[in-house]
């Protein structure tokens, strides 16, 4: 999806203040952190927000948790990072956004971009095992990401095992958080062995 070919209109019930949008558009150096958790953005609201961010080089932290952005909104995010390599955003939170498997594929594309993102929160998005597989595979092509939060996605032991295999290749990741998810003793032991091999890694 090429965002430049999509007509961008302000969505109904858009809750981000005009003052914040103006700060983003004017590249205000004082705005480095933006918390928009639970603003009901949806996919279209996400696109409208990203359009305001096109020329911003100061924002470093963006929280879009619980905004129902879905796979379509995640696709817009991927395209934003692909076409805006000068963005300063290093921490992105898109947890609890109903991404599902299609959204997981978009997250994998985002990780493969090797953008400036060093911390990515994707918990609670119902990826399931297939989603875990594609996201884990994308880690093999990333050398920038340091912190990845994947808990509460129903990935089960086989999904975690795919991350274990990916971490044999990825040596840049420092933290892999699985939340409070419980796995078998065998999976837990394999995670511990990966941690032992990769002294930078912390899994919890």
């Amino acid at each position: 999806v090429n965002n430049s070919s999509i007509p961008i209109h302000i969505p109904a019930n858009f809750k981000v203040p005009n003052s914040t949008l103006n700060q983003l558009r004017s590249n205000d150096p004082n705005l480095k952190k933006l918390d928009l958790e639970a603003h009901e953005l949806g996919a279209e609201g996400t696109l409208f927000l990203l359009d305001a961010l096109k020329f911003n080089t100061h924002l470093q932290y963006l929280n879009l948790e619980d905004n129902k952005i879905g796979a379509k909104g995640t696709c817009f995010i991927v395209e934003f990072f692909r076409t805006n390599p000068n963005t300063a955003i290093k921490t992105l939170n898109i947890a609890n956004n109903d991404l599902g498997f299609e959204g997981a594929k978009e997250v994998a594309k985002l990780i493969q971009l090797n953008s400036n993102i060093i911390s990515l929160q994707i918990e609670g998005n119902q990826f399931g095992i297939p989603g875990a597989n594609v996201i884990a595979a994308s880690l093999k092509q990333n050398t920038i990401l340091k912190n990845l939060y994947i808990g509460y996605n129903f990935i089960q032991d086989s999904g975690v095992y795919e991350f274990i295999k990916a971490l044999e290749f990825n040596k840049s990741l420092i933290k892999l958080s699985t939340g409070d998810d419980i796995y078998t003793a065998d999976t837990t032991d394999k995670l511990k062995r990966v941690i032992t091999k990769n002294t930078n890694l912390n899994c919890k």
Side-chain angles (χ1 to χ4, degrees):
V1 177
N2 186 341
N3 294 354
S4 63
S5 65
I6 300 174
I8 299 175
H9 307 289
I10 186 167
N13 303 316
F14 189 72
K15 296 182 178 181
V16 181
N18 281 332
S19 58
T20 301
L21 292 174
N22 289 336
Q23 279 184 286
L24 294 174
R25 289 175 177 137
S26 64
N27 202 14
D28 186 342
N30 295 311
L31 184 60
K32 297 183 183 299
K33 182 176 181 179
L34 184 57
D35 187 347
L36 296 177
E37 181 174 348
H39 272 60
E40 300 179 15
L41 290 176
E44 301 308 318
T46 301
L47 178 60
F48 190 78
L49 175 70
L50 294 172
D51 185 66
L53 272 165
K54 281 191 301 188
F55 304 109
N56 188 288
T57 58
H58 293 291
L59 191 73
Q60 298 177 14
Y61 172 98
L62 180 60
N63 180 6
L64 298 178
E65 180 173 354
D66 192 19
N67 271 290
K68 300 181 176 63
I69 67 175
K72 183 177 181 181
T74 312
C75 181
F76 293 150
I77 291 172
V78 173
E79 183 66 10
F80 169 80
F81 278 94
R82 188 185 70 80
T83 57
N84 294 275
N86 293 325
T87 179
I89 297 173
K90 297 181 182 301
T91 298
L92 177 65
N93 183 353
I94 52 173
N96 301 310
N97 268 300
D98 305 318
L99 303 190
F101 175 56
E102 292 303 315
K105 291 191 287 187
E106 296 301 328
V107 169
K109 293 176 186 176
L110 180 62
I111 293 173
Q112 287 171 339
L113 283 177
N114 239 353
S115 65
N116 292 329
I117 297 175
I118 60 173
S119 185
L120 180 61
Q121 293 177 242
I122 53 175
E123 306 105 308
N125 276 302
Q126 298 85 45
F127 293 145
I129 296 171
N133 292 348
V134 296
I135 292 171
S138 70
L139 284 174
K140 298 176 184 179
Q141 301 174 49
N142 185 288
T143 59
I144 305 296
L145 192 64
K146 303 296 183 186
N147 307 297
L148 180 62
Y149 300 80
I150 61 169
Y152 316 107
N153 274 302
F154 309 110
I155 64 177
Q156 302 181 40
D157 288 84
S158 59
V160 174
Y161 183 63
E162 292 303 315
F163 281 96
I164 292 170
K165 289 195 296 183
L167 291 171
E168 297 287 342
F169 298 89
N170 183 305
K171 301 302 179 184
S172 61
L173 201 69
I174 293 173
K175 181 172 184 177
L176 176 67
S177 174
T178 57
D180 294 326
D181 295 347
I182 299 173
Y183 306 105
T184 64
D186 181 59
T187 299
T188 302
D189 181 62
K190 287 174 181 175
L191 269 173
K192 288 179 179 177
R193 276 185 276 168
V194 170
I195 295 171
T196 302
K197 289 181 180 179
N198 187 348
T199 55
N200 291 329
L201 188 63
N202 174 25
C203 294
K204 59 182 178 181

